[in-house]
Amino acid sequence: MSSRPPPTEQDMSENTLEAPGAPASMLDAVKVYLRPSVLVVILLGFSSGLPLALTGTTLAVWMTERKVDIATIGLFHLVGLPYTLKFLWAPLVDALDVPLLSRWLGRRRGWLLATQLLLAAAILYLGFQDLGFAPSADGTRMAAPFGLIVGAVLVAFLSATQDIVVDAYRVEKLDTSEQAAGMAGYVAAYRIGMLVSGAGIIALVAWFEFKGLPHAQVWAWGYGVAAACMALGIFATLIAREPDGAPRVAHEGGALGALKRVFTTAFGAFSEFLTRSHAFAILAFVTLYKFSDALAGGLTASFVISIGFDKATYAAIVKGVGLLAALAGGFAGGMLARGRSLVTCLWIGGVLQMASNLAFSVQAMIGPDVGFLTFAMIVENFTGAIGTVIFVAYLSSLCGARAHTATQYALLTALTAVGRTVLASGGGYIYDVTGWAWFFVVTVIAGLPGLALLGWLQARGHFRELGAKG
């Protein structure tokens, strides 16, 4: 229990992520990243980000190199469905223990270790499917082996499950003074994990080929290295400590009792959330807050290439400079969250991520100017990362019931995926009507409903209620 005095009404209305009192010094702001619980969350962020590209960009490059037809490669995007549907099996994580491991490590860490070990094995299995490619009947293209499909689905499913557990662990383990740093470090490490499994593994495979490794084995070795990188997440799980008050249940009733606990947990998680004040407005806000960012981001690559930049420039600026800006923005968002109220941070992040899209409108009018593209990407990635860290803070604050943390957080992140995928899927049709310059103006306008909901929730005391629960 905290020894600080009870929060005043003003404190609760602000709902800060840092304990009230004198502003933290820069040294204190840096030292919080060295706390064991925060370091564990950062390492788990790397482990969560690592598998994503292995069933996305990296897999697409692998299949393209093996001359699989583009239509088949496009269908492999469906492999990512577990990330959207993960709330369906999240109640299992809240309701059940993993045999032996949960008794040894606790429920959250038991689930983490089991998922990470299986995930490493699935990545290794996926990599060894390289030998299964076979020419089509006409000999003009290759057919993706069935084992590749199975391996990709397994990796995506286990990766989504790991995300469920990591999110629950992070929300439950970090105290108020650690949330901002933990979120910033988690987001930064997640992006680094994606970079390692994306550009890193692709570059490593190219190096293997340069060194003379047999062509049919290079991807197996590349995915083998990726599987070995899961050791970092496993190490984090082993040195971590189970959150205080993590849910534990009795195991009476056998399989029927376990099934009943799962359904009871699922019903309890959804009903607890939906009976809150303004529940449906909260869900709509969660869906729409990042919509402006998602609508623009879905066509950024097409925009950059179509106005005259080559792929090398795109890779160097968007994936290179953009990544560094995103990492800096993540830590800036963490610093912002430590000293400002949650609702103020949401306003700042929302406005910044909307306004930054206008840089692309200017880029469309200027044309292929490398200097301005660098500026636009720095602004976009920096402000987008600030918005992401603040938004994750808000989602975490909504998951107060320990028995339902995994289920409720998975539901909320699934709704953000709706905004990123379903709602943003019509961006190409908007561009056909408006052209690039006005398209990015439209993306700014698309962010207004989210800000309107933010103002509506603030006026009705939603953030005071969150502060009172904290």
Side-chain angles (χ1 to χ4, degrees), residues 214-241:
H215 185 64
Q217 298 178 17
V218 290
W219 286 102
W221 279 98
Y223 272 68
V225 171
C229 288
M230 285 299 301
L232 198 58
I234 294 171
F235 171 74
T237 298
L238 293 176
I239 66 171
R241 292 188 176 184

Side-chain angles (χ1 to χ4, degrees), residues 262-273:
V262 172
F263 278 104
T264 300
T265 300
F267 178 80
F270 293 125
S271 61
E272 190 275 335
F273 195 98

Side-chain angles (χ1 to χ4, degrees), residues 53-77:
L54 299 176
T55 56
T57 304
T58 303
L59 183 61
V61 171
W62 176 10
M63 289 193 291
T64 301
E65 187 180 81
R66 293 294 185 260
K67 296 182 171 55
V68 175
D69 64 281
I70 299 299
T72 300
I73 295 174
L75 288 175
F76 265 76
H77 283 94

Side-chain angles (χ1 to χ4, degrees), residues 325-378:
L327 295 179
F331 287 107
M335 293 291 292
L336 179 66
R338 283 174 61 84
R340 302 281 181 178
S341 68
L342 179 55
V343 65
T344 299
C345 291
L346 284 168
W347 278 111
I348 293 172
V351 171
L352 285 178
Q353 66 189 13
M354 285 169 54
S356 65
N357 292 349
L358 294 176
F360 293 123
S361 291
V362 177
Q363 182 79 66
M365 292 184 284
I366 292 177
D369 182 279
V370 173
F372 193 85
L373 179 65
T374 303
F375 167 77
M377 284 301 170
I378 290 174

Side-chain angles (χ1 to χ4, degrees), residues 139-341:
T140 60
R141 54 187 174 82
M142 299 288 276
F146 179 73
L148 191 80
I149 301 172
V150 173
V153 171
L154 278 174
V155 170
F157 174 78
L158 291 168
S159 175
T161 305
Q162 180 186 221
D163 288 350
I164 293 171
V165 190
V166 170
D167 288 334
Y169 178 87
R170 176 180 53 77
V171 172
E172 294 174 354
K173 182 62 180 175
L174 299 184
D175 64 32
T176 303
S177 66
E178 296 171 336
Q179 282 287 348
M183 288 176 296
Y186 175 85
V187 171
Y190 193 99
R191 289 177 177 270
I192 293 172
M194 289 175 58
L195 181 67
V196 169
S197 62
I201 294 300
I202 293 171
L204 184 63
V205 167
W207 183 80
F208 285 151
E209 289 181 322
F210 175 75
K211 288 295 185 180
L213 204 67
H215 185 64
Q217 298 178 17
V218 290
W219 286 102
W221 279 98
Y223 272 68
V225 171
C229 288
M230 285 299 301
L232 198 58
I234 294 171
F235 171 74
T237 298
L238 293 176
I239 66 171
R241 292 188 176 184
E242 187 76 357
D244 295 332
R248 281 189 176 278
V249 293
H251 292 273
E252 293 85 359
L256 186 61
L259 186 63
K260 181 180 178 180
R261 290 196 300 273
V262 172
F263 278 104
T264 300
T265 300
F267 178 80
F270 293 125
S271 61
E272 190 275 335
F273 195 98
L274 294 176
T275 54
R276 298 181 189 180
S277 301
H278 319 304
F280 290 99
I282 294 169
L283 295 177
F285 173 66
V286 167
T287 304
L288 294 175
Y289 181 73
K290 297 285 290 181
F291 181 41
S292 172
D293 216 25
L295 187 60
L299 291 180
T300 299
S302 300
F303 164 68
V304 172
I305 299 299
S306 68
I307 65 172
F309 290 102
D310 57 34
K311 292 189 292 294
T313 302
Y314 171 79
I317 296 178
V318 178
K319 298 298 184 183
V321 176
L323 174 65
L324 295 176
L327 295 179
F331 287 107
M335 293 291 292
L336 179 66
R338 283 174 61 84
R340 302 281 181 178
S341 68

Side-chain angles (χ1 to χ4, degrees), residues 116-143:
Q116 289 165 336
L117 291 173
L118 290 172
L119 186 52
I123 293 171
L124 197 61
Y125 169 81
L126 177 59
F128 275 96
Q129 303 312 304
D130 200 21
L131 298 177
F133 285 95
S136 61
D138 58 10
T140 60
R141 54 187 174 82
M142 299 288 276

